[in-house]
């Protein structure tokens, strides 16, 4: 394993992401709400390139105090990435599928220092 500088903080939109391939190891770095997260670019479903999917706000069921529903609305705080192969979604902060928490992306160690983003690369 090796820690490698992969990008500058200002190269990311918020929300935004970049996907990297270093020595055959693919991973996505996500910037959401001022925080950074990184996940291997392998979907737990069928190994699709999950990190290359679209960033979308989580869909929540809005419920009134009397427990009647108001329909669905987009979360203002939670973002998911949707795998481009079959649409599985993963919470960018946790890597977990919203409905089946045991289905999750594998994390990549990340560090931000002095405006640089460093990732620890497996096999490098
Ligand atoms: S490979 Fe990602 S949803 Fe199927």
């Amino acid at each position: 394993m090796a820690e490698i500088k992969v990008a500058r903080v200002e190269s990311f939109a918020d929300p935004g992401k970049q996907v990297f391939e270093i020595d055959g190891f693919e991973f996505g770095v996500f910037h959401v709400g001022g925080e950074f997260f990184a996940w291997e670019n392998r979907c737990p479903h069928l190994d699709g390139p999950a990190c290359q999917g679209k960033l979308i706000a989580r869909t929540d069921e809005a419920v009134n105090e009397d427990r009647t529903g108001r329909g669905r609305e987009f979360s203002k705080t939670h973002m998911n990435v949707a795998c481009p192969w079959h649409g599985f979604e993963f919470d960018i902060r946790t890597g977990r599928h919203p409905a089946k928490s045991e289905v999750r992306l594998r994390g990549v160690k990340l560090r931000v220092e002095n405006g640089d983003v460093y990732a620890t690369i497996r096999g490098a």
Side-chain angles (χ1 to χ4, degrees):
M1 290 203 180
E3 186 180 65
I4 296 174
K5 177 180 158 184
V6 294
R8 291 282 301 164
V9 166
E10 62 267 21
S11 69
F12 288 84
D14 187 353
K17 66 165 165 97
Q18 295 182 47
V19 178
F20 301 93
E21 187 273 319
I22 298 174
D23 291 340
F25 182 72
E26 291 185 31
F27 60 101
V29 177
F30 297 83
H31 186 216
V32 177
E35 296 182 86
F36 283 89
F37 306 89
W39 307 103
E40 289 188 20
N41 192 26
R42 291 182 58 192
C43 182
H45 180 219
L46 291 173
D47 285 341
C51 296
Q52 292 174 285
K54 287 190 173 186
L55 300 181
I56 52 177
R58 186 177 75 189
T59 304
D60 293 329
E61 184 71 32
V63 179
N64 297 313
E65 283 187 29
D66 65 0
R67 302 182 64 84
T68 57
R70 293 194 310 271
R72 295 188 177 148
E73 59 187 30
F74 291 116
S75 172
K76 293 177 177 50
T77 56
H78 286 80
M79 295 290 295
N80 292 344
V81 61
C83 179
W85 280 12
H86 311 102
F88 276 35
E89 293 184 24
F90 303 94
D91 186 302
I92 289 170
R93 286 189 159 81
T94 65
R96 295 180 186 276
H97 186 281
K100 286 190 143 212
S101 64
E102 69 274 17
V103 177
R104 59 180 305 179
L105 300 172
R106 294 179 60 179
V108 173
K109 188 174 176 196
L110 204 65
R111 182 171 67 87
V112 178
E113 185 175 306
N114 297 327
D116 293 318
V117 180
Y118 297 86
T120 299
I121 308 304
R122 206 165 26 87

